[in-house]
Structure formats: C-alpha cells, structure tokens
Amino acid sequence: MMNVAIVAGGDSGEYSISMLSGRQVDQEIDRNLYKPFLIEIKGDEWTCNIDGISYPVDKNDFSLRLLGDHVHFAVVFNAIHGTPGENGRLQGYLDMLGIPYTSSDVTTSALTFSKAFCKSVVAQYGIFTPHSVHLFKRQQEKIATLAHSISIPCFVKPNNGGSSVGMSKVTSADQIPAALEKAFREDEEVLVEEFIQGRELTCGVLRTQGEVVTLPVCEIVSRKEYFDYEAKYTKGMADEIVPAPVSQDVSDECRRISAMLYNLLNCKGIARFDYIYTKDKFYFLEVNTVPGLTEASIVPKMIAAHGWSYTELVTRLLEECI
C-alpha cells in the first residue's frame, strides 16, 4: 500500500482552513489504495500526530521515524493554502528530494501566487483583467500617490495570499490608509484593484488520465458587500450555486478560458479560476492553485455536480502526479 503524506497548515492566515482541507482529504482518501499520514506544517515544526503521539518529520529526506518503522512517502497531497504550499517553496523542497506532489510546480506556483504578476501574464493572452496598482511596503514614498490612482470604489488586498484575508472594499478616499495598513499586516506587497460590478463566476480545472477536465461553473452570491473571509467560511453568508444559473454559451466560454489558462500557465492538479462577468466579458481575478477542499469549499460542490465523489477526486489527483 502506498504511503501518502497529506500536508496542511502553513504559515499564513489560511492555516486553519488548510488544516480543515487536510483533515477532509485524510477522511475521504481511499484506504484500500493508500496509507495516509496527515502532516501539519507550521514554521519549523513539521509533525504527524498518530494515536496522540506527535512525531517530528525528518526534513533531511521528508520521512517519519515511528516506533520500529521508518516511513517514506511515495507522493505528497498538498493541502496548504498560502505559504509555503501555494507559492512554490514546498514544491522546490520536494523537487530536490524527488517526491511527486499533487499541485503545480515551483514556477507556476510562484507566478500565480502573485496576483499582480499573474494578471500581467494573463492579460498578454488577451484576457480582460481589472485595472490595478501593485504596491510594495518598502516604497512608502510612492504608496499614497499610487493608491489614489485607482478609481473608487476599489479593493485593497494582499498581493500574495488568499481566502480574502486582509482584504477591504474601499468606498471613499479616507478609507484607503486603514485598508492599506490592514493589507500590509498580511503581506509586504499590496494590490489596489478597481471594483467591477458584475457576477462572480469561478471554474475548477484539473488534468486526469491525460485529459484536461473543466468542472461545472459556480456563481458566488455573497450576503455581504463582497465575498470576504466571513462570507466564504460562515454557513449561510453566501450562496455558491453549482451549476451557475447562466446560459450555456456563458458557461462554455468560462470553461474554455479556464482550460486555456490552465494549460498556458502550466497548472497541475486542481486549480480554480475566478472571474467577474459583466457586459458579455470575463475579467480574470486570480487562480487558486491549491483551492479549499473543506466541506464548505467550492471545489467539492463542483466535483459533486460533475458526478464524482470526493474520494474519486483525491484518487485522480494522486494518480495523475505519480
């Protein structure tokens, strides 16, 4: 039976959500095929809890030394949202050890984790993106001027991060300083992005058995002003409608763009592409290369609508990277 390390946790504001994703994968994995080990990564502490005993991971070869057993892993299921699992750092480490993993590689992960750089690349392929300004904490003298160059209302958010942690919607100029301070607490880089009124659509894509598969499109309707952390993870605060109540043409176009970007960005594993749809145009927002896999997450809803079980998704992702 194949040993699988399910890595979760990480060093960002998405730690708790990542742990929930990891536990869900651990619960749903096919134990007739795989022997899972849930590994929690937090800073320098990499541990695996087995029967109440916490075992440290040997980082020299990414293994576990249990009582009378030295466990090596054939594959890693990456469930870390944020750093170090979504920005390429963990991938580089695993590449050096020759251990395959379920997410995108170092280059793709690093590129897509930066919302600003990713949007710049996507725009070169003719896809619309909202106007934005990329700010760096070290350039304090430029921040105020650049931040006010985007029309209001706008969004202020960490450039490298997810789950809407540190994000604010700004509706008046006097709100910008507080929004910048909030975002800079999470990241050294901040994105100030124009607000586009429209429908929020998202599409999951994966490669399985050599074929790129697009999942049913989801529409997100937040009960709050926008789809923030609370709306994402508090039951009843948002409707995530799968399949989205849009025409077949709109759904097909969303899936076509998502599959195209999946290939052009060289994504691997499961990725989720987010858009604002308005006036017959799709505006690309970001791609999540390690999307949430909790019970409340969007991808499991897409998988169910596609006709697969959660267990089948996990099996397909593992089979594809081995």
Side-chain angles (χ1 to χ4, degrees):
M1 190 174 295
M2 190 177 296
N3 292 334
V4 176
I6 302 167
V7 294
D11 305 317
S12 74
E14 298 182 85
Y15 167 85
S16 59
I17 300 303
S18 173
M19 289 303 301
L20 290 174
S21 289
R23 292 187 188 110
Q24 192 72 28
V25 173
D26 184 41
Q27 179 179 314
E28 302 287 349
I29 196 169
D30 188 343
R31 281 173 162 74
N32 293 316
L33 298 175
Y34 308 108
K35 185 174 183 179
F37 295 80
L38 180 59
I39 293 176
E40 178 180 356
I41 290 180
K42 190 167 180 64
D44 291 335
E45 295 186 4
W46 297 21
T47 58
C48 182
N49 190 293
I50 301 175
D51 298 329
I53 301 175
S54 184
Y55 295 92
V57 172
D58 185 343
K59 300 189 190 74
N60 291 302
D61 59 0
F62 195 66
S63 66
L64 288 173
R65 295 183 183 274
L66 310 181
L67 297 176
D69 193 12
H70 189 188
V71 178
H72 291 87
F73 300 106
V75 62
V76 170
F77 192 105
N78 183 9
I80 296 181
H81 319 311
T83 186
E86 201 165 3
N87 57 2
R89 294 179 182 179
L90 181 66
Q91 289 87 335
Y93 164 77
L94 294 173
D95 283 343
M96 288 191 292
L97 294 175
I99 302 174
Y101 46 85
T102 57
S103 58
S104 295
D105 65 16
V106 175
T107 303
T108 296
S109 298
L111 169 67
T112 56
F113 196 64
S114 170
K115 295 180 178 68
F117 292 151
C118 186
K119 284 173 55 183
S120 177
V121 171
V122 166
Q124 294 181 41
Y125 295 121
I127 305 301
F128 294 106
T129 63
H131 295 303
S132 61
V133 172
H134 187 193
L135 305 176
F136 298 86
K137 197 171 188 177
R138 66 180 180 273
Q139 299 174 343
Q140 288 293 324
E141 71 283 357
K142 297 181 180 180
I143 286 175
T145 301
L146 291 173
H148 284 83
S149 66
I150 297 293
S151 60
I152 292 173
C154 64
F155 287 105
V156 177
K157 53 190 175 183
N159 183 56
N160 304 289
S163 293
S164 299
V165 176
M167 181 176 176
S168 303
K169 184 179 180 181
V170 170
T171 55
S172 62
D174 60 353
Q175 295 174 347
I176 289 180
L180 288 171
E181 182 180 351
K182 179 180 178 181
F184 275 125
R185 281 199 297 268
E186 302 294 333
D187 191 9
E188 295 288 313
E189 303 173 35
V190 164
L191 201 65
V192 181
E193 185 176 80
E194 73 168 323
F195 168 73
I196 296 177
Q197 184 70 50
R199 302 173 71 174
E200 188 165 354
L201 301 178
T202 182
C203 181
V205 185
L206 71 155
R207 182 177 282 103
T208 177
Q209 298 176 356
E211 177 187 358
V212 173
V213 174
T214 57
L215 301 175
V217 176
C218 170
E219 179 172 16
I220 300 164
V221 182
S222 176
R223 302 204 193 290
K224 299 194 70 181
E225 191 174 8
Y226 66 98
F227 197 44
D228 64 2
Y229 185 93
E230 183 183 9
K232 286 181 177 178
Y233 300 111
T234 304
K235 190 173 182 178
M237 294 300 291
D239 292 325
E240 295 159 352
I241 309 166
V242 187
V246 296
S247 70
Q248 189 64 51
D249 287 345
V250 171
S251 176
D252 289 346
E253 181 66 359
C254 186
R255 296 171 82 160
R256 183 193 70 79
I257 294 172
S258 299
M260 179 185 75
L261 292 178
Y262 185 94
N263 284 321
L264 289 171
L265 294 171
N266 193 34
C267 294
K268 296 182 178 68
I270 181 81
R272 204 191 77 228
F273 295 81
D274 297 345
Y275 309 91
I276 295 295
Y277 177 70
T278 183
K279 298 177 182 177
D280 296 326
K281 294 178 181 177
F282 284 93
Y283 287 82
F284 171 85
L285 298 178
E286 63 178 301
V287 53
N288 300 274
T289 56
V290 186
L293 292 172
T294 73
E295 283 186 316
S297 298
I298 295 172
V299 165
K301 296 181 175 72
M302 293 176 168
I303 289 298
H306 187 68
W308 292 346
S309 68
Y310 194 117
T311 299
E312 184 173 356
L313 170 66
V314 172
T315 299
R316 285 176 179 271
L317 292 175
L318 289 169
E319 285 178 343
E320 189 64 23
C321 71
I322 295 173

